[in-house]
Amino acid sequence: MPDNPTVIVIGAGHAGTEAAYAAANAGCDVALITLDPARVGVMSCNPAIGGLAKGQMVREIDALGGLMGLATDATGIMFRVLNTSKGAAVQSPRAQCDKHAYARAVQHLIAAHPRITTLAGTAERILLDDGRARAVVIASPEPELDGRTIRGDTVVLTTGTFMRGLMHTGESQTEGGRHGEAPARTISDTLRELGFELGRLKTGTPPRIQRGTIDWEQLEPQFGDTPPSPFSDLNDDNPDFPNLEQIECRITSTTPEAHEIIRANLHRAPMFSGQIESVGPRYCPSIED
């Protein structure tokens, strides 16, 4: 890697990879620091890109030369424009992706860029020079990186759910950024020392259900658009789009029996027991709500 990268990016999820890719495309040498390079670009929650309001953001990212639209077009298994029965102002593109293929696509785009170097490790401290973030101290499983100070002109922090991450599964609590992955702890101490006020945001993740456990054929199908529309303008005339086999969704609903089970266990739900005190997105209600 260059001795003095222009930009240091901490975190390699959606935001971190876009920051690294944009900086590199602008001619900067980038050091991308992530806990596990094999998890770059992982879709950790709903394996979908776009949707109401979010779909417009993905299109804007693509117009600015980002990678999300390209990765989505390469790995989407269902493309659908939402709200087609309503006015154009509320219509929005959405794609369901093969989440494993999506991560591989993002990793390929990052690895293929000659100006991006991915470093395995945790950002332990951010160092200031004349009031500006100019360097990062790394803790790494790789001996040649562990304890090293990486210096640059700009530091971009995109830790997502990992910074002091705390996961709630029913009544149990586990530290982690994602299931099975450790949180980033020490960077919070650095931010507090620099005068930042720390708080918590929450998000909710629904359970995953194996398709083989569902009576699939009894459910109402919901098909994608024919023909599907790509997210990236670069694929408007691509004869190979879509790359993957397209799969329909199925629609189901809860029952009065399910409602009774939920009501009988509200006191065990973290959002209602007081176990979770942080705030979260208003558009993502839980089934208890």
Side-chain angles (χ1 to χ4, degrees), residues 3 6 46 83 216:
D3 291 332
T6 313
N46 182 7
N83 287 343
W216 191 252

Side-chain angles (χ1 to χ4, degrees), residues 16 115 137 149 173 204 216 226 231 239 255:
R115 289 189 174 272
V137 179
T149 298
Q173 300 180 39
W216 191 252
T226 305
F231 266 101
T255 64

Side-chain angles (χ1 to χ4, degrees), residues 253-260:
S253 59
T254 56
T255 64
E257 291 78 11
H259 300 169
E260 286 305 313

Side-chain angles (χ1 to χ4, degrees), residues 7 17 20 36 60 76 84 88 91 115 136 184 189 227 229 248 265 276:
V7 177
T17 52
D36 183 358
E60 290 171 2
T84 53
Q91 295 178 12
R115 289 189 174 272
V136 175
D189 298 331
S229 300
E248 81 277 6
N265 288 276
I276 295 178

Side-chain angles (χ1 to χ4, degrees), residues 54-65 68-69 73 93 229-234 236:
K54 301 183 287 292
Q56 284 86 337
M57 291 178 63
V58 178
R59 297 279 291 174
E60 290 171 2
I61 289 169
D62 181 69
L64 293 168
M68 183 176 285
D73 289 349
S229 300
F231 266 101
S232 177
D233 287 339
L234 297 177
D236 280 347

Side-chain angles (χ1 to χ4, degrees), residues 69-126:
L70 294 171
T72 302
D73 289 349
T75 62
I77 56 176
M78 180 187 179
F79 293 82
R80 183 179 175 88
V81 176
L82 306 181
N83 287 343
T84 53
S85 63
K86 301 178 182 177
V90 293
Q91 295 178 12
S92 190
R94 183 189 67 193
Q96 301 287 339
C97 293
D98 179 324
K99 63 185 295 183
H100 305 296
Y102 184 91
R104 291 194 297 268
V106 172
Q107 290 168 20
H108 172 75
L109 289 166
I110 293 295
H113 204 298
R115 289 189 174 272
I116 301 175
T117 301
T118 302
L119 306 177
T122 304
E124 293 288 283
R125 296 186 63 79
I126 297 175

Side-chain angles (χ1 to χ4, degrees), residues 132-149:
R132 288 178 59 89
R134 300 281 195 184
V136 175
V137 179
I138 297 180
S140 173
E142 300 178 7
E144 67 274 15
L145 284 177
D146 191 37
R148 182 174 172 180
T149 298

